[in-house]
């Protein structure tokens, strides 16, 4: 892990851009974080639109979390941003757009071709990033995972024992194969559902929530579309992590 730039934001949060091999990432730490008082860490998931595109939303989430004493970090997803293109996933994404534009049902084959390879490649990269981040003296556990593609979060929650709690956004297509994995998720969950999300199958989202094996799981449903998440819903997610990571 190599830090390539750093800046202190106006609220005292330290922002560091880093690379982990070929993978770009960003780490935000609150001013209170130190070797004697390490900050709990939240991994910030995001859709495969590239870190540059997602930066305004990511830094807003990071600052909100830093106000509660959390460090946050994110990495670029495979095939996104400045990383090498991934032709197979690009083709699946084109097939998805074509089906949606034509008003056709999106088949599980298309969803699987788009999501499952991304999960298989991205999850080990998140785990490598977690290894590097937890080696920093000012970063400590426990660790949370927040947002992004819910399928990546499901896989991480199953295979990564260092993640103690997760906040999911039920706004991405989920292959049927992930429902079986969801039954093995046992950590506390906070799931945000936009009730009128035009790109999300509401019933599938409800079925997935029902499939989670966690004894503590909360579904936070609010009215509105995919991009209409109210601020209080984000605040509720931060409060969830405060309960489980502080």
């Amino acid at each position: 892990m190599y830090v390539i730039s750093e800046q202190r934001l106006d609220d005292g949060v330290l922002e560091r851009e880093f690379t982990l091999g070929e993978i770009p990432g960003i780490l935000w730490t609150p001013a209170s974080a130190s070797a004697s008082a390490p900050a709990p860490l939240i991994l910030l998931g995001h859709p495969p639109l590239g870190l540059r595109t997602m930066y305004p939303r990511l830094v807003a989430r990071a600052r909100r979390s830093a106000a509660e004493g959390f460090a946050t970090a994110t990495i670029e997803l495979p095939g996104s941003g400045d990383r090498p293109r991934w032709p197979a996933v690009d083709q699946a994404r084109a097939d998805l757009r074509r089906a949606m534009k034509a008003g056709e049902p999106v088949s599980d084959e298309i969803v699987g071709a788009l999501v499952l390879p991304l999960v298989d490649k991205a999850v080990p990269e998140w785990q490598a990033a977690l290894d590097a981040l937890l080696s920093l003296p000012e970063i400590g556990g426990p660790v949370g995972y927040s947002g992004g593609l819910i399928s990546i979060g499901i896989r991480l929650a199953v295979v990564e024992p260092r993640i103690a709690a997760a906040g999911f956004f039920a706004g991405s297509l989920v292959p049927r194969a992930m429902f079986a994995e969801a039954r093995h998720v046992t950590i506390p969950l906070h799931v945000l559902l936009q009730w009128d999300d035009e790109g999300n199958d509401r019933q599938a989202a409800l079925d997935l929530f029902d499939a989670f094996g966690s004894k503590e799981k909360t579904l936070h449903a609010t009215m509105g579309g995919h991009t209409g998440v109210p601020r209080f819903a984000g605040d509720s997610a931060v409060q969830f992590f405060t309960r489980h990571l502080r």
Side-chain angles (χ1 to χ4, degrees):
M1 178 177 174
Y2 295 95
V3 175
I4 58 176
S5 72
E6 67 176 55
Q7 64 171 331
R8 183 75 65 175
L9 306 182
D10 56 15
D11 54 0
V13 175
L14 179 62
E15 177 184 279
R16 284 173 279 184
E17 295 188 16
F18 64 86
T19 58
L20 188 67
E22 66 170 12
I23 307 169
I26 309 174
L27 168 64
W28 294 272
T29 50
S32 59
S34 66
S36 60
L41 176 65
I42 299 175
L43 302 176
L44 297 183
H46 55 88
L49 301 175
L51 287 183
R52 294 181 184 178
T53 299
M54 292 301 302
Y55 176 81
R57 290 165 61 182
L58 287 166
V59 72
R61 291 165 62 192
R63 285 178 151 181
R64 192 181 305 176
S65 299
E68 298 297 324
F70 296 115
T72 51
T74 192
I75 57 174
E76 189 73 87
L77 291 174
S80 296
D82 296 328
R83 296 188 64 179
R85 303 310 305 170
W86 196 347
V89 172
D90 287 344
Q91 181 60 55
R93 189 174 292 119
D95 292 341
L96 172 65
R97 293 193 184 111
R98 189 180 305 112
M100 295 181 72
K101 185 176 181 179
E104 301 171 351
V106 178
S107 69
D108 195 52
E109 289 74 16
I110 292 177
V111 176
L114 176 63
V115 176
L116 294 177
L118 193 57
V119 172
D120 290 342
K121 188 171 178 61
V123 167
E125 293 180 350
W126 275 110
Q127 291 180 291
L130 188 54
D131 291 339
L133 292 163
L134 290 179
S135 72
L136 300 175
E138 70 274 25
I139 305 297
V143 179
Y145 177 85
S146 174
L149 296 182
I150 194 169
S151 294
I152 291 177
I154 290 170
R155 177 70 59 79
L156 272 171
V158 172
V159 304
E160 181 46 71
R162 291 172 292 184
I163 294 180
F168 292 152
F169 179 54
S172 55
L173 297 170
V174 181
R176 298 304 305 179
M178 296 305 302
F179 282 68
E181 292 194 38
R183 296 184 177 92
H184 297 285
V185 175
T186 58
I187 61 175
L189 298 178
H190 180 96
V191 181
L192 172 62
L193 171 64
Q194 287 296 98
W195 199 250
D196 303 307
D197 190 336
E198 60 281 2
N200 187 38
D201 183 331
R202 183 195 302 165
Q203 188 57 54
L206 296 174
D207 291 344
L208 180 62
F209 179 80
D210 191 49
F212 286 127
S214 303
K215 292 183 178 179
E216 180 183 339
K217 54 182 179 179
T218 300
L219 181 67
H220 190 127
T222 58
M223 305 305 292
H226 187 80
T227 59
V229 181
R231 180 177 175 83
F232 67 79
D235 293 339
S236 178
V238 173
Q239 292 166 8
F240 164 79
F241 284 115
T242 299
R243 290 198 305 273
H244 291 286
L245 303 183
R246 295 297 297 178

